[in-house]
Amino acid sequence: MGKIVILNNDKTRPYKIGAVMEDFSTNSHLQFDFLLSLKGVEFWQGEQVTWRANNYDDYVLLRTGTDIAQFERKLTRTILDKYVLPSMIEAGDKDVEKVSKSAKLILQPVGDIHLRSFDIYDSFSHGDIRFVWLFGGIACFILIIACINFINLSTAKSANRAKEVGLRKVVGSARSGLINQFLTESILLSIFSFALGMILAWVLLPYFNTLSAKSLTIPWNEWWLAPVLLAGSICIGILAGLYPSFYLSSFKPINVLKGQVSKGSKNSILRNGLVVFQFTTSIVLIIGTIVIYNQMQFILNKKLGYDKEQVVMIEGTNTMGDKIGNFKKELLKLSSVRSVSVSDFLPVSDTKRNGNTFYNEGKSKVESGVDGQIWQVDNDYLQTMGIKLVAGRNFSPSIASDSQAVIINQALASKLNLKDAIGKRITNGWQTFQVIGVVQDFNFESLREHVGGLCMILGNSSSITSIKVGGVNMRDAISSITTVWKNFAPAQPIRYNFLDKKFASMYADVQRSGRIFSSFAILAIIIACLGLFALSAFMAEQRNKEIGIRKVLGASAANITTLLSLNFAKLVMIAILLASPIAWWAMNKWLQDFAYRVDISWWIFLLAAVVVTTIAMFTVCFQAIKAALVNPVQTLRSE
C-alpha cells in the first residue's frame, strides 16, 4: 500500500503502510494520524525490558462479566509482586517497602477518561467533569432566577386577578379548577418559552462553541430530544406556577370585594426572599468572574524565572538531520536574532518531558530517590530562555567532559541536600553526572504545581529550535527566519509558534472559565433586573394614591424616590451579606488548584457590591422617579 518515512531522534526509518482505518470520532481522547508498532524499537537501551520505566499508557480489553475490583487486586499483586518489586530490590531501591504497601493499579473505563481524568497525567488533553457540573449548576440557578421572576410577578399582580377569582368562586368554581387553570397557563407559557429558548440556543451555539472551544451540536435527529424538552418545559411550568396557583386560588370572595387582597400584596416575605436569592446568585457570579480574571492576569504576568517574550519556536527542525547545526549558524547571522537554542524540552506544555529519579552518588541503595526531570539542551539554552545561572558555569562545547556534566535547578539541589552543589556527583540509576552549574528555579510546568527538580544535560533533541529575537519588528524577523528555513527545507512549509502564546495556551481553560463566568453573570444580572424592573413598576402602581397624597402634603420627588427605593436597597444589601461568604468559599476552593495564586482581597467584594447596587438602584429608581413625577391630580382624581 506504499511507504512512509518517519524521522525520530534524527534517524530516518521507513515504515510500510499496512492498513487504512477510519478516523476516531471527535469525542474520543485518542486522536492521531498514524499508528506505529514499537516492536523492536527502544528509545534508550533497556527501555522495553525494564519494569522501572512507565512511559506508556496501557489499554486492556476485558471479557464480558469480569469483576473489575477483583481483577484490579489480582493485577496489582501480580505485576507488583512478580515484576516491579523484584526489579526494585535488584536495583537496591529504598522505596520497596513503601511501594509494596501503598501502590496499586487502577482500571479506568475508556468512557470516563475525557471528563474524569483531571488528576491523571498523560499526553492527552482532557476535560473536567467538575466544570461540567459547575456550569450546569450555574445554568440551573439562572433558570431558577427566571422562575422566581414569574412567581414574584404572579403574586405581586394578584390584585389584578383577585376579582376574577372572587367572581368565579361566587358562581360556583371549585378551588381545584382554579388551580388547574393557573397551572395550565404557567405550563403553556413555559412550553412557549422553551420553544423560543431552543431557537435562541441554535442561533447562539456558534458563539458558545467559540467561547468554550468546543464543537457542540444540537441533536435534532435524536428521538429523545423532543420528549425531554417537553417534559422539562412541563416540569418548569409546574415549578414556577405551583405557588402562584395555590396563592391565587386561596382568595376569599368577601375579602376580594372589600379590597383587602390589594393591600396585602404590597409586602410579601416570600417575594422579598426570592429577590434576595436572585441577587445573591448574581453577586456570587460577579465575584467569581473578578477572581478568575485576577488569577489569569497574575499567571500571565508572573515572573517565571525565564523570559518568554519574543522567543520564536520553529517546529519540525529534526527533519533537517545533521544540517541542524548549519541551520543554527545561519540564523545567528541574522541581525534580528540574539541567540538560538536547539531543544524540544521547553517550559511550556506539549513539549518533551523525561521523568527520572535522582540520587547522590553512592546513595541509591541507602536513601530514597528524588523525582525530577532530565532535559537534553544545548549550550545556548540558558541564554535563549533567559534562565539565570546562580552558581557554577554553563555548558561549553570545547570541554569534552561536559558530555557527562549536568546543570541542576535550586529545587533539585535542595531535595538532594546539596548545599554546595558544584562538583558533586549525582546519578539517575543508569548514568552518573557531575554538577557544573545551578540555575535559579523557574516554572517549567503549570503554575498549578510548585517548581520540581530539574537536571539539564548536553544532548541532541532537535525537533524544536527556539530563537530569541531582538527588539525589532516581529514580522520582519519571521520573514528573515523563513528565508533561512527555505534554504534548508525548501519542500517543507515552516511551522512556528511563540513561547509567550504557548504559555498562555496552557491556561486557556482558565480564560474560558472566566469568559463563561462573566457571560453567566451578565445574563443573571439582566434576568434579575428585568424582574426587579417589572416588580418595582407594579409596586409603584400599587402605591400611586399614597404617592399622590404625600406629594399634596409637600413631599418632594427625591423623598418619593427614596421611599420607593429603600425597601429594594435593603434586599440588595442582604444579598451582598449572604453572597460574600459563599463566593469567598467557592473561589478559595477553586484557587486551591493553583500552587501560585492571588489573594481574595476585600475590594473584590466591595466592587461587586457597588456594581450590583448601582444596577439594581438604577433599575428601581427609573420607575420610582417616573412615579414621583406624576401629577397627583391624576392619581387622586377618583378619590
Side-chain angles (χ1 to χ4, degrees):
M1 297 181 66
K3 291 185 176 181
I4 57 173
V5 176
I6 304 298
L7 192 149
N8 183 54
N9 288 349
D10 298 330
K11 295 179 181 179
T12 303
R13 179 173 180 174
Y15 289 86
K16 182 179 179 181
I17 300 177
V20 177
M21 63 183 293
E22 292 184 6
D23 291 338
F24 274 39
S25 61
T26 56
N27 62 349
S28 171
H29 74 289
L30 291 172
Q31 300 294 330
F32 52 83
D33 297 313
F34 47 81
L35 291 176
L36 302 177
S37 172
L38 286 178
K39 184 177 181 180
V41 177
E42 284 192 333
F43 293 102
W44 43 271
Q45 187 175 0
E47 183 220 16
Q48 294 291 338
V49 296
T50 179
W51 284 93
R52 301 182 67 204
N54 52 357
N55 299 334
Y56 306 101
D57 304 316
D58 300 315
Y59 294 85
V60 181
L61 180 63
L62 300 180
R63 291 190 178 94
T64 304
T66 301
D67 186 326
I68 303 299
Q70 182 179 356
F71 180 76
E72 282 182 344
R73 291 191 294 270
K74 185 175 180 180
L75 182 67
T76 298
R77 297 284 33 112
T78 300
I79 298 297
L80 286 180
D81 295 345
K82 191 173 180 180
Y83 300 107
V84 177
L85 295 178
S87 177
M88 295 177 68
I89 293 172
E90 182 182 356
D93 196 320
K94 295 296 292 181
D95 294 327
V96 172
E97 185 176 352
K98 181 173 68 175
V99 170
S100 177
K101 291 180 178 179
S102 60
K104 59 181 178 179
L105 300 177
I106 300 175
L107 299 179
Q108 183 179 40
V110 172
D112 290 347
I113 290 176
H114 178 63
L115 289 177
R116 294 172 175 83
S117 294
F118 61 89
D119 57 348
I120 298 176
Y121 303 99
D122 56 23
S123 56
F124 298 110
S125 176
H126 299 301
D128 192 337
I129 191 63
R130 296 176 300 175
F131 285 104
V132 175
W133 286 112
L134 172 64
F135 292 125
I138 293 173
C140 289
F141 273 117
I142 291 176
L143 185 59
I144 292 172
I145 288 174
C147 292
I148 288 171
N149 279 345
F150 182 82
I151 295 171
N152 277 343
L153 296 178
S154 296
T155 55
K157 292 187 175 183
S158 57
N160 293 353
R161 305 196 68 174
K163 290 183 179 180
E164 174 193 348
V165 174
L167 289 174
R168 292 189 62 178
K169 282 192 172 185
V170 167
V171 298
S173 294
R175 186 182 183 188
S176 59
L178 293 171
I179 291 174
N180 290 335
Q181 175 194 336
F182 294 134
L183 273 178
T184 302
E185 292 174 4
S186 176
I187 291 171
L188 289 175
L189 182 62
S190 177
I191 292 174
F192 175 77
S193 300
F194 260 72
L196 181 60
M198 284 301 298
I199 295 173
L200 289 175
W202 175 67
V203 172
L204 297 176
L205 187 60
Y207 165 75
F208 180 80
N209 283 337
T210 301
L211 189 69
S212 61
K214 303 295 180 185
S215 299
L216 302 179
T217 57
I218 299 176
W220 299 110
N221 297 326
E222 296 292 340
W223 66 267
W224 49 263
L225 181 63
V228 167
L229 291 177
L230 181 61
S233 61
I234 292 174
C235 290
I236 295 299
I238 293 174
L239 175 66
L242 196 61
Y243 175 78
S245 299
F246 278 91
Y247 178 73
L248 293 172
S249 64
S250 67
F251 294 159
K252 296 180 179 179
I254 191 165
N255 292 334
V256 170
L257 297 176
K258 290 180 179 180
Q260 293 178 357
V261 173
S262 176
K263 295 177 181 178
S265 65
K266 294 178 187 176
N267 186 21
S268 168
I269 295 176
L270 175 64
R271 186 167 61 245
N272 290 343
L274 294 177
V275 170
V276 169
F277 177 84
Q278 285 181 308
F279 280 93
T280 298
T281 303
S282 302
I283 293 166
V284 170
L285 290 175
I286 290 174
I287 293 173
T289 299
I290 297 172
V291 172
I292 292 174
Y293 175 81
N294 286 346
Q295 178 65 15
M296 194 67 232
Q297 293 303 307
F298 172 77
I299 288 172
L300 295 179
N301 295 291
K302 183 183 182 298
K303 291 183 179 180
L304 303 169
Y306 68 93
D307 186 5
K308 64 181 185 296
E309 306 300 327
Q310 291 191 294
V311 177
V312 183
M313 301 163 54
I314 307 297
E315 302 173 2
T317 53
N318 54 337
T319 58
M320 295 181 183
D322 57 7
K323 297 180 182 178
I324 187 70
N326 291 330
F327 176 66
K328 178 179 177 179
K329 290 178 182 178
E330 290 300 314
L331 288 173
L332 288 169
K333 293 179 181 179
L334 299 176
S335 59
S336 59
V337 174
R338 291 183 177 178
S339 63
V340 180
S341 173
V342 179
S343 174
D344 44 21
F345 288 91
L346 297 173
V348 289
S349 61
D350 298 327
T351 58
K352 193 175 289 187
R353 293 292 182 269
N354 186 7
N356 275 216
T357 302
F358 296 94
Y359 309 85
N360 289 303
E361 185 182 27
K363 299 294 182 67
S364 61
K365 295 185 179 182
V366 295
E367 293 181 353
S368 296
V370 172
D371 292 333
Q373 287 282 317
I374 183 166
W375 289 9
Q376 292 180 333
V377 302
D378 64 6
N379 57 294
D380 293 314
Y381 187 86
L382 300 186
Q383 180 184 356
T384 304
M385 294 294 123
I387 298 170
K388 184 179 179 181
L389 194 68
V390 295
R393 62 176 178 85
N394 194 5
F395 295 115
S396 174
S398 60
I399 301 177
S401 61
D402 276 5
S403 61
Q404 297 296 314
V406 293
I407 297 174
I408 63 176
N409 68 349
Q410 292 171 313
L412 185 59
S414 175
K415 291 178 180 180
L416 290 172
N417 295 317
L418 299 177
K419 295 182 179 180
D420 184 11
I422 305 304
K424 298 294 192 305
R425 296 175 67 83
I426 63 175
T427 179
N428 64 349
W430 288 273
Q431 292 176 278
T432 300
F433 308 98
Q434 183 175 9
V435 179
I436 63 169
V438 178
V439 295
Q440 186 180 59
D441 283 340
F442 63 96
N443 293 96
F444 57 87
E445 298 292 6
S446 167
L447 290 177
R448 291 182 171 92
E449 307 168 27
H450 291 285
V451 177
L454 176 64
C455 171
M456 291 178 280
I457 63 172
L458 271 177
N460 184 18
S461 190
S462 58
S463 65
I464 298 177
T465 296
S466 301
I467 306 168
K468 181 70 173 181
V469 177
V472 297
N473 185 287
M474 184 58 73
R475 181 173 298 179
D476 293 339
I478 293 296
S479 178
S480 301
I481 293 170
T482 302
T483 300
V484 175
W485 171 270
K486 289 180 178 179
N487 292 334
F488 285 86
Q492 184 178 345
I494 188 171
R495 292 181 292 121
Y496 64 88
N497 208 328
F498 298 96
L499 192 64
D500 56 348
K501 290 186 177 180
K502 196 71 175 176
F503 174 81
S505 69
M506 294 169 61
Y507 306 96
D509 59 329
V510 181
Q511 292 177 311
R512 286 194 296 270
S513 297
R515 290 194 294 266
I516 294 173
F517 249 91
S518 59
S519 299
F520 276 140
I522 293 171
L523 184 59
I525 283 289
I526 290 174
I527 294 174
C529 286
L530 283 174
L532 193 60
F533 184 84
L535 192 60
S536 60
F538 178 78
M539 297 304 291
E541 181 184 345
Q542 288 286 87
R543 304 178 71 172
N544 58 2
K545 290 183 174 60
E546 176 190 346
I547 293 171
I549 294 172
R550 287 179 179 274
K551 292 193 70 174
V552 168
L553 296 176
S556 65
N559 297 140
I560 300 299
T561 301
T562 302
L563 173 69
L564 295 177
S565 305
L566 188 60
N567 183 57
F568 291 108
K570 291 177 180 177
L571 298 180
V572 174
M573 290 298 108
I574 293 172
I576 292 170
L577 293 176
L578 291 175
S580 295
I582 295 173
W584 180 88
W585 174 83
M587 298 318 299
N588 190 58
K589 291 285 289 183
W590 181 78
L591 287 171
Q592 287 178 4
D593 282 344
F594 296 88
Y596 304 91
R597 52 184 179 263
V598 295
D599 294 324
I600 305 178
S601 304
W602 61 269
W603 64 264
I604 296 176
F605 301 93
L606 178 61
L607 178 61
V610 170
V611 169
V612 171
T613 304
T614 301
I615 294 174
M617 288 302 98
F618 177 82
T619 303
V620 173
C621 287
F622 178 82
Q623 293 292 354
I625 293 172
K626 182 179 177 181
L629 294 178
V630 173
N631 191 330
V633 174
Q634 297 178 9
T635 58
L636 298 176
R637 183 177 299 165
S638 61
E639 301 294 325

